[in-house]
Amino acid sequence: MKNSVIVYYSWVGSTETVAEEIHRRTNFDMQKIEETTKRRFGKFAGAAMAAVIGLKSRIKPMDFELQDYENVFFGAQVWAGRTAPAVNNYLKKASFKNKNVWLFLTKGDEKIPQQVIDSITKRIEKKGGRVVDSMAVTSHWEPKTNIPLAPEEVQEPVEAWLKKEGFL
């Protein structure tokens, strides 16, 4: 589907690994959400607190209209059971009118991040979009090492999800 885009935010790199695997299998366009000030590793407690209280961080300019796309694959991490500040800002600015959206999330534990799925879904629907489905991958991230998921760790779940959704 030529009119599909992958939009994602990734601090450590695990969400980027998933986004790149989706891109590798589909060749959809990609847009990375980037903060204007690079977030330093080792500052996880402050980042988690910012997510918990719903702060927004400044992000670099990008295509918030998504007018060339009918389908959006939206990727984010789960931070302390919430969305990251950069994701909060993107969701505030983006237009999802008449867009079909598939969510892909990375998380640090085995729980289904239903609260995050519901929160993102509500914000997308408020902007006129429709969340079709979601997928979450556990990253087993360690704050001291900052090692993201490896491509081989996401190949199988991404392939299964894309097949289930009719993209492969």
Side-chain angles (χ1 to χ4, degrees):
M1 294 186 174
K2 291 226 181 241
N3 59 350
S4 300
V5 65
I6 303 159
V7 177
Y8 69 96
Y9 172 74
S10 188
W11 180 23
V12 175
S14 291
T15 308
E16 187 164 47
T17 300
V18 177
E20 288 172 347
E21 182 63 19
I22 294 169
H23 174 72
R24 187 180 76 77
R25 292 181 178 275
T26 63
N27 205 31
F28 295 160
D29 292 345
M30 288 181 67
Q31 296 181 16
K32 183 176 183 177
I33 301 166
E34 297 181 87
E35 292 176 293
T36 56
T37 303
K38 187 156 178 74
R39 194 172 288 277
R40 292 183 299 159
F41 293 116
K43 301 290 184 181
F44 183 71
M49 182 56 68
V52 167
I53 60 177
L55 294 181
K56 296 172 192 70
S57 61
R58 292 185 182 162
I59 57 177
K60 294 180 180 179
M62 58 188 305
D63 174 14
F64 294 108
E65 295 301 314
L66 301 170
Q67 56 195 359
D68 294 334
Y69 303 103
E70 181 179 328
N71 302 306
V72 179
F73 282 76
F74 188 76
Q77 301 122 298
V78 177
W79 287 13
R82 303 284 202 274
T83 51
V87 171
N88 293 336
N89 196 352
Y90 184 86
L91 290 170
K92 181 180 182 213
K93 292 181 176 187
S95 171
F96 290 98
K97 187 174 183 179
N98 299 320
K99 308 293 181 216
N100 296 310
V101 181
W102 285 263
L103 303 178
F104 62 96
L105 305 171
T106 55
K107 57 195 177 70
D109 59 33
E110 296 297 329
K111 298 177 197 165
I112 295 173
Q114 196 60 52
Q115 183 174 345
V116 173
I117 293 167
D118 293 345
S119 170
I120 294 173
T121 298
K122 182 178 177 182
R123 289 184 270 177
I124 288 171
E125 289 174 349
K126 188 175 181 181
K127 299 284 203 88
R130 180 177 78 95
V131 174
V132 178
D133 195 24
S134 64
M135 170 186 78
V137 178
T138 303
S139 68
H140 304 292
W141 178 68
E142 282 292 325
K144 293 181 181 177
T145 59
N146 293 318
I147 299 172
L149 285 167
E152 57 272 8
E153 294 178 276
V154 302
Q155 290 172 347
E156 189 177 303
V158 167
E159 179 181 22
W161 187 54
L162 292 172
K163 280 183 178 178
K164 179 181 94 149
E165 294 303 314
F167 289 97
L168 295 181

